[in-house]
Amino acid sequence: MEQLFKALADPTRLLLLDRLRERNGQTLRELCEHLAMARQSATQHLDILVRVNLVTVVRRGRERLHYLNPAPIHEIEERWISAFDRPRLGALSAIKRQAEREAMTSVPTYVYVTYIQAGAEQVWRALTDADLTARFWGHANVSDWQPGSSWEHRRVDGSGIADAAGTVITAQPPTRLVITFGDSAPADREPSVVTFLIEPYQDIVRLTVTHERLATMDDYRDISGGWPAVLSNLKSLLETGAELPQAPWEMSGA
């Protein structure tokens, strides 16, 4: 946490974060276009932001795209803000969100990164096994997980109702899974796309979740609260053998 605050204390790094907040997923060249510094200096600042997990890098072919990672800010909020003045801050945030909604013309891509003490095969199984997803997600993700197959996000109350559905685009166990999310959307609206990237390193994995093609800022806000909760529960299950004692996604309404 100390390194995180040191990273945030530098005005150049704050400027880089602001640039990514304005338009997520930029290359180094794009980030450097309006900076009065050499590319090498900008790279050093970005490396610091990557080390404290405020920025994550996603490779697309030969390009390295930089995305804001909300996980560390989420931890700060949970530790120092949520327990104290949530109602007043919530009201101020609502005003800010309304102003942003009126000004924003496009919906950014959402990227979340977490580190889990588990093997890549364990994380893959947790994401694709219906019984395990029912434990940490509260819904069972049901599919044969073959490219082109459908999948359903089914309730666990025995009703068999699917609250979301999609299509498997890519399945490369145990490292990469790409699905559409929301094939039940209206015909004039393309489903969003979720990519799970599992990168093993010794005894841990780096799990990057990228959610693209979100239709509205309301969708973006919904998944910004949902993914951290779901992935925190996944991390707890794999590292301790048990889910969190309370459903973490309920905290947003507390």
Side-chain angles (χ1 to χ4, degrees):
M1 194 64 71
E2 179 184 355
Q3 296 303 314
L4 174 61
F5 281 113
K6 285 182 179 179
L8 289 169
D10 184 271
T12 298
R13 292 193 282 274
L14 287 177
L15 178 60
L16 287 167
L17 292 173
D18 280 336
R19 291 284 162 80
L20 290 175
R21 180 178 59 84
E22 293 168 2
R23 185 168 66 84
N24 224 355
Q26 295 188 59
T27 63
L28 176 62
R29 179 185 58 79
E30 291 170 327
L31 284 170
C32 291
E33 280 181 354
H34 304 291
L35 293 178
M37 67 172 62
R39 180 173 295 196
Q40 183 178 1
S41 299
T43 300
Q44 292 172 349
H45 283 293
L46 281 170
D47 286 344
I48 292 172
L49 294 173
V50 170
R51 282 201 297 272
V52 298
N53 210 20
L54 282 167
V55 169
T56 187
V57 178
V58 177
R59 293 183 180 275
R60 294 283 177 83
R62 295 184 178 180
E63 290 187 324
R64 288 165 51 89
L65 305 181
H66 299 80
Y67 289 91
L68 283 176
N69 179 32
I73 304 300
H74 175 73
E75 292 172 3
I76 292 173
E77 191 272 341
E78 289 297 320
R79 182 170 178 177
W80 281 293
I81 299 176
S82 61
F84 298 100
D85 205 7
R86 184 184 290 273
R88 183 173 66 86
L89 292 173
L92 293 173
S93 294
I95 296 172
K96 179 175 180 291
R97 286 196 300 268
Q98 179 61 35
E100 290 173 343
R101 182 186 296 114
E102 293 172 356
M104 184 167 285
T105 58
S106 62
V107 182
T109 294
Y110 181 86
V111 179
Y112 191 92
V113 177
T114 188
Y115 295 85
I116 304 172
Q117 188 175 356
E121 291 81 5
Q122 291 174 286
V123 176
W124 177 271
R125 182 168 177 263
L127 291 170
T128 56
D129 183 273
D131 292 334
L132 286 175
T133 52
R135 289 182 63 184
F136 74 81
W137 208 324
H139 280 69
N141 290 345
V142 180
S143 176
D144 63 10
W145 303 109
Q146 297 300 310
S149 295
S150 62
W151 74 276
E152 291 186 338
H153 194 55
R154 293 181 190 169
R155 298 180 187 179
V156 293
D157 56 7
S159 66
I161 295 173
D163 288 319
T167 301
V168 180
I169 299 175
T170 302
Q172 299 172 343
T175 58
R176 190 165 184 264
L177 176 66
V178 184
I179 59 174
T180 62
F181 202 103
D183 282 1
S184 59
D188 61 346
R189 177 173 151 184
E190 287 187 325
S192 60
V193 176
V194 179
T195 300
F196 300 92
L197 182 63
I198 304 166
E199 299 171 282
Y201 177 71
Q202 297 183 8
D203 295 330
I204 66 172
V205 300
R206 180 181 193 243
L207 174 61
T208 303
V209 177
T210 305
H211 202 148
E212 305 173 88
R213 292 205 323 222
L214 293 159
T216 68
M217 282 306 298
D218 285 337
D219 292 339
Y220 184 86
R221 280 188 289 274
D222 287 344
I223 62 100
S224 296
W227 279 122
V230 168
L231 297 174
S232 294
N233 219 16
L234 166 62
K235 178 179 171 71
S236 178
L237 177 61
L238 290 179
E239 293 184 344
T240 71
E243 312 91 290
L244 293 169
Q246 288 82 39
W249 44 82
E250 294 177 356
M251 289 186 66
S252 61

